[in-house]
Amino acid sequence: MTALTLSTAAASGLRADAIVVGVAKGAKGPVVAPGAEAVDKAYDGKLASVLETLGATGGEGEVTKLPAPSGFKAPVVVAVGLGTVPEKDETYGTDALRRAAGTAARALSGSKKAAFALPAEDAGDTGAIAEGALLGAYSFDAYKENGSAKGKNSKDAKGPLAEIALLGGKPRDKAYKAAVERAVAVAEELNRARDLINTPPNDLNPEAFAAVASAAGKEHGIKVQVLDEKALTKGGYGGILGVGVGSEAPPRLVKLSYTSSKAKKHLAFVGKGITYDSGGISLKPAGHNETMKCDMAGAAAVFAAVVAAARLGLEVNVTGWLALAENMPSGSATRPGDVLRMYSGKTVEVLNTDAEGRLVLADAIAKASEDKPDAIVDVATLTGAMMMALGSRTFGIMANDDAFRAAIHDASEEAGEPSWPMPLPDHLRKGMDSPTADIANMGERMGGGLVAGLFLKEFVGEGITWAHLDIAGPAFNEGGPFGYTPKGGTGTAVRTLVRLAERTAAGDLG
Ligand code: BES
Ligand code: MN
Ligand code: ZN
């Protein structure tokens, strides 16, 4: 894991592979951002014009490398684009800082140490830069021949930037220290979630995921209970069992309980943890199953958020539920037409075995409801329809409470995770009417993401506030990396959940 410190050193004297500065897009060309004054001075105040000569504009995502001024211990200056210069009296937005820091960290992968001299006005900005840098300094190369797990020096696997020093921060100031500690805890757990998402499904089945959760629970003082297939059968978890029954690797339901002696509220997070989604008997065609190891991204996000809450000592109780199963076709698999008796007692006619996420979540949501938490939030790569609606970078939020949906949207904006509120129109419920069972697991094709949300709503305990995050789009980045987002597992929703827990602890949610 990349190490990060606050430093008061002067840029010129620092032994590092590179100094990172910010450059923004001004009306008349690139402008050097605050924080880099000393560096600019060493170029005789000509850094902006040198950058312009090299073709830099200050646009977001841009990286320009140039030789450091003479007398500097670091050989290279990396100028990273911040986007448009802020209006007078405004500052660079926190997510612009996060993204720029992430872009710079990615550009420096394979390097040992870099010093960041980006514009930070306060501890919040410094925390954002720390978070962006640590999230950008991520690589998953455990399966490369010379990957970080096995050694170095591979062309394919450079490994992440190893050490980051943030210049201009105040290492002795309480607020700065706390901001950096928070960024480190959140980024480390988020990067662990990315590792889980990226781990191939032959190495991460429900049992293996549960083992990872148990180990982390021990390390961080979180109580962990694992229900195996025997316990699930005894407990009547027909949804989780029905999805997992086709696989050689049996399902699990994991409960992670973080409690604070000062807590006034209790949040329950529920994650969809399909370690591989083949579609089951309603098999997905080639072209639709290659990335389906990512179908446990909701459970990975919930897991990371609970551990982060524990590491931060948040004054709120947080329970995480990981609904883990592998969806496979076989002679023992659930058939389209089968009826499952769910944990809640409701029966479900399975019309399409590829609509499996709602089945495992329904059991976990019903179980989570028994604790009577103040709110339940489920997180799931649930529908291709949500991806169609919102694209690949924005998750949808549905809820049975307008104020709670808005609060989650606010939390996601603060976290820098794009999301958008979606409705749960009552009229779509009748499409799931079943002649045989209480409900079918499929309804109208149009508005498929909302149909899935309406299905889940039926399993929320009476009177409990609930929201559903459909992260099918942003959970797995199939395109190129950008900002602090790598290719592959992104860890989306982790920071929204942590922010929500923080706001709940602070009493912001009533
Ligand atoms: N895991 C998929 C949804 C998904 C699709 C996630 C693409 C990430 C990327 C889910 O289990 C699924 O297969 N949903 C079906 C539901 C349908 C059969 C009602 C879908 O969206 O097509
Ligand atoms: Mn599916
Ligand atoms: Zn799925």
Side-chain angles (χ1 to χ4, degrees):
M1 216 63 102
T2 304
L4 184 138
T5 50
L6 283 176
S7 168
T8 50
S12 58
L14 209 90
R15 276 182 210 287
D17 299 306
I19 310 283
V20 175
V21 300
V23 53
K25 209 170 184 159
K28 295 188 209 97
V31 173
V32 176
E37 290 82 3
V39 179
D40 188 24
K41 204 169 161 207
Y43 286 108
D44 297 327
K46 295 197 178 95
L47 180 52
S49 62
V50 171
L51 285 168
E52 188 165 23
T53 308
L54 291 170
T57 65
E60 184 179 335
E62 186 182 86
V63 172
T64 312
K65 294 187 183 181
L66 59 162
S70 61
F72 268 53
K73 294 234 163 72
V76 176
V77 166
V78 173
V80 63
L82 283 157
T84 312
V85 175
E87 300 284 321
K88 213 174 150 50
D89 300 329
E90 291 199 12
T91 57
Y92 291 93
T94 41
D95 206 52
L97 295 176
R98 260 191 219 109
R99 292 194 300 261
T103 299
R106 276 194 297 107
L108 286 161
S109 65
S111 302
K112 279 209 190 74
K113 182 171 180 178
F116 282 57
L118 291 174
E121 295 266 327
D122 54 23
D125 284 354
T126 297
I129 292 166
E131 195 176 284
L134 290 170
L135 294 177
Y138 173 81
S139 69
F140 184 73
D141 46 24
Y143 290 81
K144 299 272 191 189
E145 189 167 1
N146 289 309
S148 59
K150 289 170 192 153
K152 289 242 157 61
N153 308 323
S154 157
K155 267 189 233 149
D156 288 349
K158 283 201 269 187
L161 169 62
E163 204 184 325
I164 295 166
L166 299 187
L167 304 185
K170 299 178 185 156
R172 268 177 255 290
D173 183 305
K174 252 195 190 160
Y176 280 79
K177 262 204 239 168
V180 167
E181 267 172 38
R182 178 192 184 278
V184 168
V186 172
E188 283 184 358
E189 295 316 317
L190 194 152
N191 282 340
R192 229 192 291 273
R194 289 171 170 176
D195 280 346
L196 287 168
I197 299 165
N198 290 329
T199 299
N202 54 337
D203 279 348
L204 192 85
N205 61 23
E207 191 182 357
F209 195 154
V212 171
S214 297
K218 260 199 198 118
E219 193 183 334
H220 298 288
I222 299 163
K223 188 176 162 203
V224 183
Q225 291 158 282
V226 180
L227 299 189
D228 62 12
E229 67 273 32
K230 265 196 204 146
L232 290 168
T233 305
K234 207 167 156 219
Y237 294 83
I240 296 172
L241 289 166
V243 173
V245 72
S247 170
E248 297 276 333
R252 295 283 184 269
L253 177 63
V254 178
K255 180 182 189 183
L256 299 149
S257 312
Y258 162 67
T259 51
S260 160
S261 59
K262 295 191 182 139
K264 294 201 175 74
K265 297 275 180 191
H266 176 200
L267 292 172
F269 298 155
V270 178
K272 170 177 173 182
I274 302 299
T275 57
Y276 183 68
D277 182 12
S278 73
I281 298 293
S282 313
L283 193 63
K284 285 182 190 292
H288 291 263
N289 53 24
E290 294 84 350
T291 59
M292 278 303 133
K293 65 176 180 181
C294 82
D295 215 18
M296 36 56 74
V302 164
F303 169 54
V306 176
V307 176
R311 282 181 63 170
L312 298 171
L314 299 186
E315 296 179 356
V316 55
N317 292 338
V318 184
T319 308
W321 296 89
L322 317 180
L324 308 174
E326 187 181 45
N327 188 22
M328 295 291 272
S330 75
S332 62
T334 293
R335 316 153 189 79
D338 280 354
V339 172
L340 303 176
R341 187 170 293 280
M342 309 292 282
Y343 179 78
S344 74
K346 277 200 171 75
T347 55
V348 177
E349 183 177 14
V350 178
L351 293 180
N352 189 320
T353 62
D354 199 11
E356 84 298 339
R358 63 198 74 182
L359 299 172
V360 300
L361 287 170
D363 276 0
I365 289 170
K367 180 65 179 169
S369 297
E370 288 177 359
D371 295 341
K372 301 254 178 286
D374 293 290
I376 296 177
V377 182
D378 78 72
V379 187
T381 46
L382 207 59
T383 66
M386 194 55 58
M387 233 172 147
M388 286 288 188
L390 295 177
S392 58
R393 292 193 186 180
T394 305
F395 64 79
I397 314 172
M398 285 143 272
N400 62 3
D401 181 297
D402 289 348
F404 191 52
R405 188 180 52 219
I408 293 182
H409 184 234
D410 288 349
S412 92
E413 297 233 295
E414 284 176 15
E417 296 183 320
S419 72
W420 204 251
M422 300 296 273
L424 289 172
D426 285 334
H427 73 92
L428 289 173
R429 169 62 181 82
K430 72 173 180 311
M432 291 184 283
D433 283 350
S434 158
T436 317
D438 296 328
I439 189 170
N441 78 330
M442 246 186 75
E444 285 178 40
R445 201 170 74 88
M446 296 295 171
L450 320 180
V451 171
L454 281 166
F455 180 93
L456 297 178
K457 191 177 162 204
E458 305 254 328
F459 296 87
V460 178
E462 188 73 29
I464 297 178
T465 303
W466 156 82
H468 158 57
L469 315 186
D470 190 338
I471 61 167
F476 198 81
N477 175 21
E478 292 187 55
F482 58 95
Y484 50 81
T485 307
K487 213 173 155 57
T490 64
T492 193
V494 172
R495 290 176 300 134
T496 297
L497 293 179
V498 171
R499 196 72 205 104
L500 183 73
E502 286 174 334
R503 290 182 65 149
T504 305
D508 288 359
L509 298 181

